[in-house]
Amino acid sequence: MQRYSLVSLARNAFSNHEDWPRAWRAAEPQAAYDIVIVGGGGHGLATAYYLAREFGEKKVAVLEKGWLGGGNTGRNTTIIRSNYLQDESAALYDHAVQLWRGLSRELNYNVMYSPRGLLHLAHDESELREISRRGHANWLNGIDAEFLTPAEVRQWVPAIRLDGRYPILGALLQRRGGTARHDAVAWGYARAADRLGVDIIENCEVTGIEVADGRVRALQTGRGRIAAGKVGLVAAGHSSVLANMAGFRLPLASTPLQALVSEPVKPVLDVVVMSGKVHVYVSQSDKGELVIGAGSDMHNSYSQRGSYDMIEEIMGPLLELFPSFSRLRMLRQWAGIVDVTPDRSPIIGPSPVAGLYLNCGWGTGGFKATPGSGHVFAATIARDAPHPMAAPFGLDRFTSGALVDEAAAAAVAH
Amino acid sequence: MSQTSRLPQGGRIDRARSLAFTFDGERLSGLGGDTLASALLANGRVLVGRSFKYHRPRGIVGLGAEEPNALVRLGSGAAAEPNARATCVELFDGLAAESQNRWPSLTSDLGAAAGLLAPILPAGFYYKTFMGPGAGAWRVYEWAIRRMAGLGRAPSGADPDRYEQRFAHCDLLVAGAGPAGLAAALAAGRSGARVILADMDREAGGHLLAEGDDLAVDGQPALGWAAAVAAELDGMPNVQRLCRTALAGLYDGNYLTAWEQVTDHLGPGRGGGLPRQRLWRIRARQAVLATGALERPLVFAGNDRPGVMLSGALRGYLHRYAVLAGRRVCLMTNNDSAYRTAIALQRAGASCILADLRSDGTPLAAAARAAGVEVLTGHAVTQAQGGMRVDRVRLRKMSESGGAMIGGLRKEAVDILAMSGGWGPNVALFSQARGRLHYDPALTAFRPAGGPQGLRCAGGADGATSLQAALDGGVAAGLAAAADCGFDAAPLPPLRAEEPDVPADGGAGRVRAVWIVPGEHPVGRGPKQFVDFQNDVTAGDLQLAEREGFSAVEHMKRYTTTGMATDQGKLSGMNALGILAEMRGTSVDAVGHTTFRPPYVPVTFGAMAGRRTGPLFDPLRRTPMQGWHERQGALLETVGQWQRPLCFPQALPDGKREDRAAATRREVLAVRHAAGLLDASTLGKIMVEGPDAATFLNRLYVNRFDSLKPGHCRYGLMLTENGTVLDDGVVARLDARRFHVTTTTGGAAHVLDWMEELLQTEWPDLQAWCTSVTDHWAVATLSGPLSREILAPLTDIDLANAAFPFMTVREGLVCGAPARIFRVSFTGELSFEINLAARYGRALWDCLLAAGSDRGLVPFGTDAMHLLRAEKGFIMVGQESDGTTIPDDLGMAGMVKGDKGDFIGKRSLSRPDMLRGDRKQLVGLLTAEPRTVLREGAQIVAPDAPDPRPGQKVPMLGHVTSSYFSPTLNRSIALALVKGGRARIGEAVKVPVMGGPPVAASIAPPIFHDDKGAAARG
Amino acid sequence: MFLIDCPWCGTRPQSEFAAHGEAQVVRPADPAAASDAEWAAYLFLRDNPKGRLLERWVHRHGCRRWFTVARDTATDRIEAVYPPAGGPAGPPSGPAGGDR
């Protein structure tokens, strides 16, 4: 394994970069593993990495039906933040933010975590109350939060219009909020997990789950049967399909979520801006593209197809906040399949089948949680008991009624 | 003398119309009909920009939307347009363009230092470095990288232009007005089908516009035929032809977006009232995609030098714009099409060398040689050299296998190098619509292989390589589409094409796939061989990606960024796939292709937003009294789509106006001691009627409604099926079958939806109907001890307490108009909620104010209303409750009890989590210091809790939901949700506030004034 | 954006409609008698197949009536539309072409 650094880049320049090894092995599936993770996105790869690194698991595989990071990892708008209202969410997402901070160095892969600051705008009295409640809760949970006046918003975001149809009355700022490079997260975890002996198997679709005596035994895949002591399902939009193979249903709906980027321009937006009432979230990538999240359709769909009406709907709001963006152009739009739970919080923990664990339901906001999700899920699988931060997110909450409702206080886009 | 490269005759340009323009401040001139690119070339300008990563000098490569390099910034200030393709910009007088991504100037760009570092900046280098020292290091590198990256500068202010949108429906949408598209539109148009024909160009003809006058259709020059067809189509009432209109997106069910540049070509301020651009949304029963074919560059050393151009583009500049871009031209090709270019250039006065990568030659070689072109079969340009412009090429003979160079090196001085790597069907739209593609080795390109229903490709987009094939394909597709729409199309007489220099088997003849032209060095070791020009991706980069395991097409694309520039891989896509297949030792079909995403060309956000900006961004709902509020200078707040008065500040004796707090205090005291008038028109109002209306409401609300007597009102609380509070309001029973239901202002639409859903899907057996009457009624709430005597003279309703008691409803006349009055109270005072038809709302308001003026009646706003109700401990749904709150949390468990049967949400209330004793419950909060007003949203902690610190968690007990300074009590009051709060009444708590000292407070009952409710009943 | 055949208004674009998830979810006749698990299943567990789904739609910006659509969620192709009365007579949701 060659360590990545400026020095190694310079050294390889002398050999015309012809000696770089594969970032991860093209592993052939073995007949059996102690733990099999289904889903080679950021969450699944992170899970495998922490299983190997923190819990000493030696025989771990990640099965990916297509190419690593091809699901929502490679299709999201890369926003990172932890300023959630509910204590349970705040703990989980802040765990992730703390891991993000050291992640590039830990993985020896630059995931470009950029804590550039993230603003939630408030446009009316009720939104002011909402950011006050959330900001104070964040503060008491040890999470950074600051309230901005409209004048301060203008300093952070010079291109913004303060006095539109829905004037900006204030904002909540999380300085540690920001973005990261989505593909690099999958590739960095894959490379690091591979180094620890995890088999990463691409083009390996799971077609069946063998359950006997209430316990998971093996997976049927496009590349043969793979026996597994434990299985973690980390398949985002396809979680219900996999659960169906194991004989149970989940409180999930898989719906299309649209996003788009503009043509690249020189820096015009240095922070992430989110608005609930004017429904916009936008940031500018390092490449210069404005990355804009649009709404999610209400209907279930696996077609992963760009549709126009959601994109169109976002344009009025975007230009309402940023009138100078009107002459910029949409370069590309795409869709992901998001798995949404009734309370908009994830499901992490055991399933009705013994040995089969779930990590799904991240909806529109899973990317930011990637390191934390992988870490607590690895602990949950390794110890056969929910990690304390994962415990509130079990399936049982839907029976007891103890939902973790992040949308409760306001329709905050994730 | 400018325009040194313009030929004295020829071209489709208006020589009488000279157009002045500037490029990087230099004054130049072009001619009517020019694009910015053709005008620059006419002036001998080849260098137009800098590349994204290495800041390499770059020139014009193409002729149209495929252009990767010639991106310029047009205009300035708020009307600037970054990243405009010079090849798609029609020249107008006064156009000002500047190059991008360079500093300080195009010819001396400091950013080009990146080129010196290129050896350590291969694909994905940034994943391997910039990780230290320290965890925060990336932010420093990022700051610099962000400034190096990006292309043009964004406009500096709000867009001064207007954008419009149109909807259109048609039987057949034809994309592209080249020969195939014209033929398809003609065939379908004559059948009577409604046809829309859209094309990016300003005139019809497609690739014919780039050809010489030696092409003919049915005996007349091809462009004359195109013009005649266009004229015939323009004369058909069932056909609409859109020019300057790019089909951008093709979505499910033949739903298309088309982007029309209406007045961009006229220049700023010359649109004459027309919008700048127009976005069409078209629903077509059938679509024919005649989007043509795109020529590919060749991948060889130095292929990005300014002056290295596509062969077809060079021919197009010659024929359409009479621009001879170079005098000493070398061409390299793997197919026949470059011969036509070479012959035309030679005839126009250039001297040409043509290096054909194919060793077995072509019948066209003889014609080319006859014209004076030097033809070298089996030869390749191993390297293009030059600084700001190509000035020399190195030529060598290739081995039969193409794997090596043999023979001596020949160096030739040139001023243009043309390349042709073959022509591929332009399948972007087809693939967007999920049409399947397969790789055709004869074309060395992907071509359509079966599309969804109602979608066909024709002409070059379908793989046609001759004019005859394009015409035949267009006619067939047009007829078939018309027939599928039910039109009897009379067969069109066959169109006969004449096309010189084209072998019988098709235009391009045989194509030799040479994905990387062998150079003098192995790939990755010599001068860069570019695959994606704009993003600076080289063949070596692709090789590195493959070596590192990024060999899935999407991984290769993302790791190297090939195909992700503003041209979205129009030129680079196929070459990258070919190279990848070769490296993986597999077929191109096995490699597959990346997904084509909308839009085909970048579309402005302004066009997509249309008129939904500024005042039309979201409708503003106005109550009938709104004008009065505004004239009084009321402070307004946004509530949903409404604006409501917060308060009505009055002029003070010193000429100033009251502030918000003073106005609110005055209004509160007026209501408590005299009377106030509130515009409550925004309240949601729904009529629920029918024989089963009472049963329906019984099942919907927590409360009973079957026992409610006609003429009486009851407070109603509505839950979600999950048991949480959804909405509340007063319900009045007008008679046995009719209920007047009120909702919160924000909840009205959702409650109506929910009612209709339940009636239609859950209880279709119930006979009850719901009608929104929110906008039908204006509502003025007269509240305060004097309200009865103010209202009495204005109405025929007996207002005496016995005749019209608390929580009843009466109908009669108020101010001479039919009214419905509710005796309910949200302020705690004697109140009459007067509903009048909306058109009388303003009259009612004036009438009441006039009648009450001598008794101290004042208008009051939502601030006072909120304060008054908080003094009484009345909740606001959405403020005292959130999506987790159940009735018991609000002290309303009593409503739920009783013998009433099931209702929505009831079962959920008995789940374990709903029965916890430590749920957050509604309480009052009194600060130890009575003048301190708590901050709404602040969290509540134990008195001995530690101060907040980063990374430390302080356990929270709850939060402040409402907080005011009460004029009635002359102290601050607050409502709060506190864990197990009802059992903690009297306990001390602490409220830490960001930016200030913590506030000591104690928990109190959530009612501060008139806890018996006597005033409202009086 | 696909087209939907409203049983009352005819073919209209999807943007006029709103989807509300799986159709034919039966509210327990006597909720008080349902166990917590049964109630949770009614509240939250939904079919979410990649394939044929019977789902509820409402013509929100049209006749405001509810109806049932059988749609393939893998392709978004609509197979049939049913008026709500008495519930659709079609087969239940499940993977397209499957036997569930």
Side-chain angles (χ1 to χ4, degrees):
Chain A
M1 173 58 59
Q2 186 157 17
R3 221 183 134 67
Y4 290 162
S5 69
L6 192 60
V7 173
S8 69
L9 270 170
R11 197 170 53 238
N12 276 280
F14 289 103
S15 53
N16 299 293
H17 300 285
E18 287 169 11
D19 299 330
W20 288 109
R22 287 183 63 97
W24 59 87
R25 291 168 294 130
E28 284 299 315
Q30 298 175 30
Y33 290 93
D34 293 341
I35 301 174
V36 175
I37 302 299
V38 181
H43 290 243
L45 292 163
T47 305
Y49 167 75
Y50 292 113
L51 277 169
R53 200 204 69 176
E54 295 220 350
F55 302 96
E57 296 290 349
K58 300 285 184 228
K59 289 204 54 150
V60 179
V62 177
L63 309 186
E64 166 54 47
K65 69 173 177 164
W67 40 281
L68 294 189
N72 293 343
T73 299
R75 294 169 185 270
N76 70 90
T77 51
T78 78
I79 293 172
I80 292 172
R81 66 184 181 93
S82 62
N83 56 359
Y84 280 68
L85 172 66
Q86 311 290 1
D87 295 349
E88 301 86 349
S89 314
L92 180 60
Y93 287 99
D94 206 59
H95 181 47
V97 167
Q98 287 166 28
L99 290 170
W100 276 116
R101 184 170 157 73
L103 196 59
S104 292
R105 278 144 65 91
E106 175 173 350
L107 300 180
N108 181 229
Y109 205 92
N110 189 357
V111 299
M112 304 183 195
Y113 166 52
S114 167
R116 57 183 64 178
L118 179 144
L119 269 63
H120 278 104
L121 305 179
H123 297 274
D124 61 25
E125 303 275 330
S126 79
E127 288 191 333
L128 278 178
R129 271 193 295 274
E130 191 276 327
I131 63 169
S132 171
R133 179 181 172 192
R134 190 150 51 90
H136 279 101
N138 295 154
W139 181 51
L140 288 158
N141 271 322
I143 295 168
D144 63 311
E146 291 167 54
F147 300 116
L148 302 185
T149 64
E152 290 167 331
V153 170
R154 163 61 56 75
Q155 284 173 3
W156 280 82
V157 192
I160 207 160
R161 169 155 72 187
L162 297 175
D163 59 350
R165 166 75 174 86
Y166 294 115
I168 294 167
L169 305 182
L172 178 64
L173 165 69
Q174 184 179 21
R175 286 180 192 260
R176 291 185 302 148
T179 61
R181 172 89 189 107
H182 55 7
D183 291 329
V185 176
W187 301 340
Y189 271 120
R191 177 168 168 269
D194 174 83
R195 186 173 51 194
L196 295 170
V198 173
D199 279 357
I200 293 165
I201 304 160
E202 295 180 78
N203 299 307
C204 183
E205 181 164 7
V206 171
T207 54
I209 299 176
E210 285 181 32
V211 177
D213 305 326
R215 184 167 186 90
V216 67
R217 304 292 172 177
L219 300 167
Q220 302 290 348
T221 81
R223 296 173 70 171
R225 181 180 185 275
I226 300 174
K230 301 177 195 174
V231 171
L233 298 184
V234 201
H238 282 77
S239 296
S240 293
V241 175
L242 288 163
N244 202 34
M245 292 177 193
F248 58 92
R249 295 201 295 173
L250 290 171
L252 288 178
S254 293
T255 65
L257 181 70
Q258 310 279 337
L260 66 121
V261 294
S262 74
E263 292 185 336
V265 288
K266 295 291 179 192
V268 284
L269 180 62
D270 293 330
V271 295
V272 183
V273 174
M274 308 179 72
S275 164
K277 186 160 184 84
V278 188
H279 199 90
V280 167
Y281 41 116
V282 56
S283 64
Q284 188 178 19
S285 73
D286 291 340
K287 198 181 170 193
E289 297 164 335
L290 293 172
V291 183
I292 299 159
S296 167
D297 281 303
M298 298 268 289
H299 63 278
N300 298 22
S301 179
Y302 291 84
S303 75
Q304 227 167 42
R305 179 94 198 281
S307 87
Y308 183 66
D309 36 346
M310 284 293 153
I311 297 296
E312 179 180 77
E313 216 156 272
I314 204 72
M315 284 302 157
L318 178 70
L319 300 188
E320 177 67 8
L321 288 183
F322 298 98
S324 62
F325 290 179
S326 169
R327 299 172 90 86
L328 303 185
R329 289 181 289 240
M330 172 166 86
L331 177 60
R332 186 171 63 246
Q333 70 166 104
W334 68 91
I337 307 168
V338 294
D339 44 330
V340 182
T341 59
D343 61 359
R344 302 293 190 272
S345 286
I347 299 167
I348 313 170
S351 78
V353 173
L356 184 67
Y357 292 90
L358 301 169
N359 185 349
C360 58
W362 291 92
T364 59
F367 176 73
K368 66 175 77 69
T370 304
S373 159
H375 186 252
V376 300
F377 192 47
T380 301
I381 295 174
R383 297 177 184 143
D384 280 313
H387 183 282
M389 283 187 199
F393 296 97
L395 260 185
D396 52 344
R397 73 180 187 270
F398 297 101
T399 307
S400 71
L403 303 186
V404 187
D405 197 342
E406 268 307 317
V412 178
H414 283 234
Chain B
M1 173 59 197
S2 62
Q3 303 189 42
T4 49
S5 298
R6 184 89 67 185
L7 296 174
Q9 62 261 318
R12 302 177 60 75
I13 42 174
D14 182 355
R15 292 179 188 269
R17 202 151 62 89
S18 177
L19 304 174
F21 71 103
T22 63
F23 181 66
D24 280 343
E26 186 183 359
R27 290 166 184 278
L28 298 167
S29 71
L31 297 175
D34 260 332
T35 62
L36 176 58
S38 70
L40 286 168
L41 285 172
N43 284 281
R45 299 294 189 284
V46 168
L47 173 69
V48 285
R50 290 277 176 168
S51 67
F52 193 85
K53 181 175 170 185
Y54 300 129
H55 287 240
R56 286 169 73 102
R58 289 287 164 78
I60 297 162
V61 168
L63 192 60
E66 75 284 1
E67 173 61 42
N69 286 344
L71 304 183
V72 298
R73 188 173 198 258
L74 297 179
S76 61
E81 182 182 3
N83 306 339
R85 282 183 178 73
T87 51
C88 296
V89 174
E90 291 182 41
L91 194 68
F92 55 83
D93 199 51
L95 180 145
E98 60 182 47
S99 56
Q100 303 187 142
N101 205 34
R102 83 292 187 270
W103 190 85
S105 77
L106 186 54
T107 47
S108 52
D109 172 20
L110 290 182
L116 301 176
L117 296 174
I120 59 164
L121 309 179
F125 72 94
Y126 30 70
Y127 300 126
K128 295 184 171 122
T129 182
F130 302 140
M131 288 177 270
W138 171 245
R139 283 289 286 149
V140 179
Y141 299 113
E142 186 184 40
W143 186 91
I145 288 170
R146 282 170 71 82
R147 273 144 194 84
M148 286 284 285
L151 284 170
R153 280 176 297 119
S156 59
D159 192 339
D161 281 318
R162 189 163 53 85
Y163 301 80
E164 285 185 352
Q165 298 192 332
R166 290 200 48 185
F167 288 91
H169 296 259
C170 60
D171 295 313
L172 172 61
L173 181 285
V174 180
L182 287 170
L186 187 65
R190 284 186 183 169
S191 79
R194 291 174 305 153
V195 177
I196 294 177
L197 171 63
D199 191 278
M200 288 182 70
D201 211 303
R202 65 174 186 273
E203 55 183 323
H207 89 266
L208 298 177
L209 292 162
E211 298 295 348
D213 50 14
D214 49 354
L215 270 63
V217 177
D218 283 351
Q220 62 175 318
L223 273 177
W225 170 82
V229 172
E232 180 178 344
L233 292 171
D234 289 345
M236 292 183 187
N238 55 320
V239 176
Q240 181 160 26
R241 198 162 67 86
L242 299 175
C243 302
R244 299 185 173 97
T245 303
L247 270 312
L250 177 44
Y251 303 90
D252 280 315
N254 279 348
Y255 185 68
L256 296 106
T257 54
W259 182 51
E260 181 182 9
Q261 292 185 268
V262 184
T263 58
D264 274 324
H265 62 289
L266 300 174
R270 297 185 198 140
L274 289 170
R276 178 184 178 219
Q277 295 167 354
R278 186 180 286 139
L279 193 86
W280 293 72
R281 281 161 294 175
I282 302 169
R283 183 71 76 167
R285 294 169 71 188
Q286 300 280 321
V288 170
L289 305 179
T291 45
L294 291 172
E295 193 173 25
R296 287 195 301 275
L298 288 162
V299 179
F300 59 98
N303 61 344
D304 71 322
R305 293 287 164 212
V308 180
M309 297 177 66
L310 289 168
S311 153
L314 195 60
R315 191 163 80 237
Y317 286 111
L318 175 68
H319 290 313
R320 187 169 184 184
Y321 305 104
V323 169
L324 186 59
R327 297 278 164 176
R328 294 190 54 81
V329 180
C330 178
L331 301 94
M332 172 160 58
T333 187
N334 67 354
N335 66 89
D336 279 358
S337 72
Y339 283 81
R340 191 186 283 178
T341 307
I343 292 167
L345 291 170
Q346 192 82 24
R347 284 181 185 151
S351 100
C352 298
I353 302 173
L354 195 159
D356 191 332
L357 291 162
R358 301 169 297 181
S359 49
D360 47 356
T362 164
L364 295 183
R369 288 194 176 108
V373 176
E374 184 184 357
V375 177
L376 305 170
T377 50
H379 275 66
V381 174
T382 58
Q383 190 181 350
Q385 294 175 314
M388 294 297 152
R389 179 164 183 162
V390 62
D391 55 19
R392 200 155 49 147
V393 294
R394 297 158 75 91
L395 290 151
R396 283 183 83 177
K397 189 166 175 57
M398 271 196 332
S399 65
E400 280 295 312
S401 67
M405 306 311 297
I406 53 177
L409 180 69
R410 175 171 164 187
K411 299 175 188 173
E412 281 291 335
V414 298
D415 52 5
I416 287 288
L417 171 58
M419 55 187 168
S420 180
W423 294 75
N426 182 2
V427 292
L429 283 175
F430 181 74
S431 178
Q432 277 182 28
R434 276 189 284 205
R436 280 182 301 107
L437 305 175
H438 79 85
Y439 180 73
D440 181 344
L443 281 177
T444 63
F446 280 94
R447 67 188 295 172
Q453 271 191 339
L455 192 59
R456 292 177 174 83
C457 290
D462 197 32
T465 53
S466 70
L467 179 55
Q468 187 64 58
L471 293 169
D472 293 346
V475 169
L479 290 176
D484 282 355
C485 293
F487 291 89
D488 283 332
L492 216 57
L495 298 164
R496 195 169 38 81
E498 294 164 45
E499 194 171 16
D501 312 335
V502 171
D505 63 342
R510 291 166 305 101
V511 186
R512 178 176 186 180
V514 182
W515 300 116
I516 302 177
V517 177
E520 292 156 41
H521 307 272
V523 171
R525 293 194 188 173
K528 292 193 181 334
Q529 302 155 305
F530 285 89
V531 178
D532 188 304
F533 292 118
Q534 193 184 120
N535 272 356
D536 281 333
V537 182
T538 66
D541 288 328
L542 299 186
Q543 206 169 57
L544 171 64
E546 207 277 333
R547 186 177 297 130
E548 293 191 281
F550 297 96
S551 48
V553 284
E554 277 286 349
H555 276 163
M556 168 123 337
K557 168 182 147 186
R558 288 159 180 262
Y559 190 66
T560 65
T561 75
T562 188
M564 299 183 78
T566 66
D567 54 299
Q568 290 287 282
K570 289 184 180 65
L571 298 187
S572 62
M574 192 60 239
N575 280 337
L577 298 176
I579 292 169
L580 180 57
E582 218 163 62
M583 290 188 305
R584 280 169 52 180
T586 182
S587 71
V588 177
D589 253 334
V591 164
H593 58 88
T594 57
T595 316
F596 289 85
R597 305 270 181 212
Y600 174 63
V601 292
V603 175
T604 53
F605 291 164
M608 288 192 284
R611 301 300 296 273
R612 292 183 306 280
T613 60
L616 299 180
F617 163 61
D618 200 27
L620 175 64
R621 299 180 75 181
R622 296 168 60 84
T623 74
M625 296 80 138
Q626 192 88 10
W628 190 90
H629 307 329
E630 288 165 3
R631 257 193 304 288
Q632 290 295 307
L635 294 181
L636 300 172
E637 70 160 329
T638 298
V639 183
Q641 290 178 317
W642 303 91
Q643 285 181 344
R644 302 190 69 182
L646 281 163
C647 60
F648 296 86
Q650 299 297 299
L652 296 170
D654 60 3
K656 294 186 183 138
R657 285 175 84 83
E658 287 174 316
D659 64 12
R660 182 172 163 184
T664 301
R665 173 185 163 79
R666 175 181 49 72
E667 291 169 13
V668 166
L669 291 173
V671 174
R672 287 272 179 253
H673 299 295
L677 190 62
L678 176 80
D679 179 0
S681 305
T682 64
L683 270 190
K685 298 172 274 292
I686 301 167
M687 284 301 293
V688 180
E689 302 172 81
D692 296 321
T695 308
F696 171 57
L697 295 177
N698 244 22
R699 294 183 189 178
L700 179 59
Y701 280 90
V702 166
N703 323 71
R704 273 196 94 118
F705 286 98
D706 53 348
S707 63
L708 185 66
K709 294 191 192 71
H712 284 254
C713 305
R714 183 163 289 165
Y715 172 78
L717 188 67
M718 192 185 293
L719 309 183
T720 66
E721 192 71 293
N722 191 37
T724 57
V725 172
L726 175 66
D727 203 82
D728 70 349
V730 168
V731 179
R733 187 167 201 169
L734 302 177
D735 58 39
R737 301 159 56 113
R738 294 195 305 148
F739 290 83
H740 179 127
V741 173
T742 65
T743 72
T744 60
T745 296
H750 180 65
V751 170
L752 180 67
D753 288 348
W754 180 220
M755 287 178 167
E756 290 184 338
E757 176 177 348
L758 288 169
L759 281 171
Q760 289 182 42
T761 67
E762 206 57 62
W763 304 313
D765 52 313
L766 291 187
Q767 293 197 53
W769 297 274
C770 307
T771 311
S772 169
V773 293
T774 300
D775 294 311
H776 177 78
W777 296 106
V779 184
T781 300
L782 184 60
S783 187
L786 304 185
S787 52
R788 182 180 282 122
E789 58 186 81
I790 293 170
L791 182 58
L794 306 176
T795 179
D796 61 351
I797 300 170
D798 181 355
L799 300 183
N801 210 12
F804 189 1
F806 186 55
M807 295 307 278
T808 60
V809 59
R810 296 289 179 268
E811 294 184 280
L813 293 177
V814 173
C815 303
R820 196 175 279 172
I821 305 181
F822 297 86
R823 224 199 116 187
V824 295
S825 176
F826 196 42
T827 62
E829 299 299 326
L830 171 67
S831 296
F832 298 93
E833 250 179 51
I834 307 161
N835 291 249
L836 236 68
R839 63 183 178 281
Y840 301 131
R842 176 61 197 281
L844 171 70
W845 187 261
D846 292 344
C847 176
L848 287 167
L849 280 179
S853 60
D854 58 346
R855 289 182 183 80
L857 176 67
V858 301
F860 68 102
T862 50
D863 266 353
M865 176 187 77
H866 291 160
L867 212 165
L868 288 157
R869 64 88 204 175
E871 290 176 343
K872 287 287 299 167
F874 295 145
I875 65 151
M876 296 277 294
V877 168
Q879 189 162 339
E880 271 64 42
S881 72
D882 62 24
T884 67
T885 310
I886 61 173
D888 183 58
D889 300 343
L890 300 172
M892 295 185 181
M895 288 184 194
V896 181
K897 287 184 193 141
D899 53 352
K900 187 181 161 213
D902 186 45
F903 56 85
I904 295 289
K906 183 178 187 183
R907 174 63 185 81
S908 288
L909 299 177
S910 57
R911 292 173 302 173
D913 197 65
M914 305 303 181
L915 304 173
R916 279 190 296 113
D918 65 341
R919 289 187 62 89
K920 287 188 182 181
Q921 296 166 339
L922 182 70
V923 293
L925 274 189
L926 292 171
T927 53
E929 203 292 301
R931 302 208 68 80
T932 304
V933 180
L934 290 167
R935 176 141 179 206
E936 288 180 350
Q939 299 286 329
I940 298 158
V941 301
D944 56 353
D947 289 337
R949 276 189 309 153
Q952 298 294 314
K953 293 186 192 345
V954 182
M956 288 169 261
L957 301 173
H959 72 282
V960 179
T961 59
S962 296
S963 175
Y964 311 93
F965 188 83
S966 161
T968 312
L969 284 79
N970 199 30
R971 64 151 297 138
S972 68
I973 58 167
L975 296 172
L977 286 166
V978 175
K979 284 179 184 169
R982 285 198 291 271
R984 294 178 178 231
I985 287 175
E987 286 184 18
V989 292
K990 187 167 72 173
V991 182
V993 179
M994 282 170 70
V999 179
S1002 61
I1003 298 178
I1007 181 162
F1008 306 97
H1009 170 72
D1010 187 21
D1011 60 355
K1012 299 283 185 294
R1017 293 164 201 279
Chain C
M1 190 171 74
F2 40 87
L3 294 166
I4 299 174
D5 292 321
C6 172
W8 292 278
C9 306
T11 306
R12 295 288 187 276
Q14 179 202 336
S15 53
E16 292 185 14
F17 300 82
H20 284 258
E22 182 188 349
Q24 297 179 313
V25 176
V26 178
R27 190 171 194 270
D30 181 5
S35 69
D36 283 348
E38 287 163 348
W39 186 247
Y42 157 68
L43 282 180
F44 300 127
L45 288 189
R46 292 293 179 269
D47 278 354
N48 186 22
K50 184 173 187 172
R52 191 171 196 275
L53 175 67
L54 280 176
E55 59 188 351
R56 301 184 309 149
W57 286 78
V58 58
H59 195 181
R60 175 133 298 149
H61 304 293
C63 62
R64 294 182 68 82
R65 295 228 249 175
W66 289 74
F67 56 98
T68 302
V69 171
R71 186 173 52 90
D72 185 335
T73 61
T75 62
D76 286 339
R77 202 176 70 80
I78 292 176
E79 296 168 3
V81 170
Y82 310 93
S93 304
D99 55 3
R100 209 204 90 154

